[in-house]
Amino acid sequence: MSTLKTPFRYDFVGSFLRPEKLKEAKKNFEEGKITQDELDKITDECVSEVVAKQKAAGFHAITDGEFRRKFWHLDFMWGFDGVEHEKDGGGVQFNGEVADLEATYLVGKVKAKAHPFVEYFKFLKQFEDENTVAKYTIPAPAQMYQQMIVPQNIEQTRKFYASDDELIQDIGLAYQDVIRQFYDAGCSNLQLDDCTWGAIVGDAAKQRYKSLGLDIEDVKAQLLKVNNLALEGRPEDMTITSHICRGNYHSTYFTSGPYDSVADYVFAQENVDALLLEYDDARSGGFLPLAKVSPDKKVVLGLITTKKPELENKEDVIARIHDASRYIPLERLCLSPQCGFASCEIGNKLTEEQQWAKLALVKEIAEEVWG
């Protein structure tokens, strides 16, 4: 098992734009033109190629680009007993665009089983070397919890769970099992992607929860509870981080609002080793909430956007890093893009060349700031 630990001074979130070869293969598979084995072979090739590009770019974390999934979050949930999904034509309204998603809901109690993502990780791990470590990204427990209590799912969920606490307990225990599966497969660096904190900030969120008759502070406590329950008993030598953003679909976003209202929960109390935070524009607010980050955590500043192809001004980014260091020491800070480049298969509105140019800028800035 590699002894390298995330995050690194220059880092990234995890997903990459799907290459045309992979898009074509998936289309051919859906049309019945190629078999699952043929699709898997092409996917393996594409993962191998994107890992090679990450290494060539000089990065120390490697991921499979999330090439084996359609959605950053839903596919993982499908790997538990008690969860079903179907394409029902629905979606989630983002800023100016509806995200095309699949209905994902409960058909029984949530229980862990041999998770397919662990096998995906094993393929990635073979590429580790003395300079790199395999990082795997999965949705946070809070993300799964929220998925099952949204208005369109709550009636179905109540058939199996009389209370939210019971649901939290089962999700937390199921995640403990899967985290151990990853560890036993040689995974020493796991990242929990979490949009729940980003979706609960801002005035719009307050109004949304009020209309549902929910106390927003109670909801925050539940998100913290399920995430920390999942982390209980985790291996001591396993690094677990959390990436927090406000939605990322085809270069659009879901919500806006500063971290101030959630800092006392996730920044201060969530038991992760580092936070990867979206800070690429004014929607994220200022750096003052960073003062609430507990002293045992590092923070990865997501100052480079994956939503637009234009490169940021290097001096402006450096100035923002030093601004953030007023609230948390520079030695506990790192730099990355604010999110992945393709949270879902559709990807963001930039080219692969522009994607790698963004990462080159992250590395260049980090080396100038931290040496």
Side-chain angles (χ1 to χ4, degrees):
M1 187 179 291
S2 174
T3 57
L4 294 176
K5 299 292 185 184
T6 56
F8 300 100
R9 290 298 186 197
Y10 48 93
D11 219 316
F12 53 75
V13 171
S15 67
F16 288 88
L17 296 171
R18 304 324 192 243
E20 288 304 318
K21 178 168 68 173
L22 182 57
K23 291 180 184 177
E24 183 69 18
K26 290 198 173 184
K27 180 174 180 290
N28 287 338
F29 174 73
E30 290 168 0
E31 294 175 355
K33 295 178 181 177
I34 64 173
T35 65
Q36 181 69 59
D37 285 345
E38 290 171 316
L39 173 60
D40 290 344
K41 182 176 183 293
I42 294 170
T43 305
D44 286 350
E45 292 172 358
C46 291
V47 169
S48 301
E49 290 164 4
V50 79
V51 168
K53 289 179 179 178
Q54 291 166 53
K55 290 184 176 184
F59 282 74
H60 300 295
I62 53 172
T63 75
D64 63 3
E66 301 181 6
F67 284 2
R68 301 186 191 276
R69 58 185 106 166
K70 293 178 67 176
F71 310 107
W72 66 274
H73 56 331
L74 299 178
D75 300 50
F76 181 78
M77 299 176 198
W78 305 340
F80 290 89
D81 275 339
V83 179
E84 191 52 81
H85 65 101
E86 62 180 303
K87 191 160 182 60
D88 64 351
V92 173
Q93 183 64 53
F94 274 58
N95 180 53
E97 186 169 348
V98 175
D100 181 18
L101 304 176
E102 291 192 23
T104 298
Y105 50 88
L106 294 183
V107 290
K109 293 277 191 178
V110 175
K111 294 179 182 177
K113 56 183 177 181
H115 202 289
F117 277 35
V118 176
E119 295 303 313
Y120 302 163
F121 169 77
K122 290 178 182 177
F123 182 85
L124 175 67
K125 184 173 175 60
Q126 68 178 301
F127 300 109
E128 285 184 343
D129 56 34
E130 67 275 11
N131 296 313
T132 57
V133 65
K135 172 177 79 168
Y136 219 74
T137 62
I138 63 174
Q143 199 71 46
M144 185 169 178
Y145 169 65
Q146 279 284 49
Q147 176 68 27
M148 304 311 169
I149 63 166
V150 292
Q152 59 266 39
N153 277 345
I154 188 64
E155 184 178 345
Q156 178 71 8
T157 295
R158 285 292 178 252
K159 294 178 182 178
F160 310 102
Y161 292 99
S163 71
D164 291 340
D165 280 342
E166 292 175 54
L167 176 61
I168 286 171
Q169 184 72 14
D170 275 4
I171 290 176
L173 293 178
Y175 262 78
Q176 288 180 21
D177 187 300
V178 173
I179 288 172
R180 174 57 66 170
Q181 289 181 41
F182 273 106
Y183 181 77
D184 290 344
C187 180
S188 59
N189 291 267
L190 195 65
Q191 178 179 297
L192 307 177
D193 293 329
D194 199 345
C195 280
T196 63
W197 298 109
I200 206 168
V201 299
D203 294 334
K206 288 181 184 178
Q207 296 303 316
R208 185 168 68 251
Y209 282 99
K210 185 177 181 180
S211 70
L212 295 172
L214 298 174
D215 185 315
I216 198 166
E217 297 305 315
D218 288 344
V219 177
K220 294 173 191 175
Q222 290 173 333
L223 300 180
L224 181 67
K225 181 179 180 180
V226 70
N227 281 347
N228 279 346
L229 175 58
L231 297 171
E232 287 183 9
R234 73 185 229 198
E236 290 185 7
D237 58 342
M238 188 180 199
T239 297
I240 300 183
T241 63
S242 182
H243 164 243
I244 298 171
C245 83
R246 294 158 182 78
N248 180 39
Y249 180 87
H250 205 208
S251 293
T252 61
Y253 60 85
F254 179 62
T255 56
S256 300
Y259 292 107
D260 302 60
S261 63
V262 298
D264 285 324
Y265 293 88
V266 64
F267 286 11
Q269 300 181 66
E270 190 160 294
N271 297 326
V272 292
D273 298 299
L275 298 167
L276 293 87
L277 301 178
E278 179 180 56
Y279 264 120
D280 61 326
D281 62 25
R283 291 184 306 109
S284 304
F287 294 128
L288 179 60
L290 295 179
K292 298 287 184 71
V293 176
S294 57
D296 57 332
K297 294 189 188 78
K298 293 181 179 179
V299 167
V300 185
L301 297 171
L303 301 176
I304 306 296
T305 191
T306 65
K307 288 178 163 58
K308 297 183 292 186
E310 295 81 14
L311 289 177
E312 285 78 0
N313 178 279
K314 185 169 72 170
E315 283 67 35
D316 290 345
V317 175
I318 291 173
R320 294 194 70 199
I321 293 170
H322 287 295
D323 187 18
S325 72
R326 294 163 54 204
Y327 306 102
I328 186 169
L330 188 64
E331 59 266 24
R332 286 169 56 202
L333 293 175
C334 304
L335 179 67
S336 79
Q338 110 287 351
C339 197
F341 292 93
S343 299
C344 298
E345 283 183 320
I346 190 172
N348 281 349
K349 296 176 182 177
L350 67 170
T351 66
E352 288 189 59
E353 182 181 8
Q354 291 164 339
Q355 166 184 265
W356 295 109
K358 289 275 182 176
L359 290 181
L361 179 63
V362 169
K363 182 173 183 288
E364 180 184 345
I365 292 172
E367 289 179 333
E368 186 164 327
V369 172
W370 288 282

